[in-house]
């Protein structure tokens, strides 16, 4: 898996977790104090989030950080 594939997989996993919690992208961005456009880029795999960014997202989604990175066993289509 190269860097771009990894970023896309992380973004899809964040989207999946967010949708499971029935939270809109705008709502999650606001909870994390991010611009909506930044959340959109992150979910699209167009940015490489820092560990702290993943920590903040995990806190707001009420999951552990490792759950965001646990995409190998999940369907991301």
């Amino acid at each position: 898996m190269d860097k771009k594939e990894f970023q896309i997989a992380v973004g899809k996993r964040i989207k999946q977790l967010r949708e499971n919690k029935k939270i809109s992208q705008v709502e999650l961005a606001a909870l994390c104090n991010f611009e909506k456009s930044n959340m959109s880029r992150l979910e699209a795999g167009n940015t490489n989030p820092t560990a702290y960014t993943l920590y903040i997202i995990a806190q707001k989604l009420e999951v552990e950080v490792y759950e965001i990175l646990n995409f190998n066993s999940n369907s991301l289509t």
Side-chain angles (χ1 to χ4, degrees):
M1 176 179 295
D2 68 15
K3 180 180 176 181
K4 183 65 176 175
E5 289 170 329
F6 180 81
Q7 287 175 197
I8 290 169
V10 169
K12 285 183 178 180
R13 182 67 176 141
I14 290 169
K15 181 178 179 179
Q16 182 183 60
L17 291 167
R18 174 180 61 74
E19 288 177 342
N20 287 347
K21 300 274 183 176
K22 303 197 180 345
I23 298 172
S24 74
Q25 196 177 71
V26 172
E27 289 172 306
L28 181 57
L31 287 171
C32 295
N33 201 27
F34 299 161
E35 293 292 326
K36 192 268 183 191
S37 60
N38 292 341
M39 187 62 68
S40 179
R41 279 196 304 276
L42 201 156
E43 286 190 4
N46 294 328
T47 187
N48 191 12
T50 65
Y52 187 70
T53 296
L54 295 178
Y55 170 75
I56 294 296
I57 293 168
Q59 276 195 318
K60 300 309 177 185
L61 289 174
E62 299 176 339
V63 299
E64 298 295 328
V65 174
Y66 76 83
E67 293 178 70
I68 293 174
L69 301 175
N70 184 20
F71 44 75
N72 291 329
S73 62
N74 296 297
S75 171
L76 295 173
T77 54

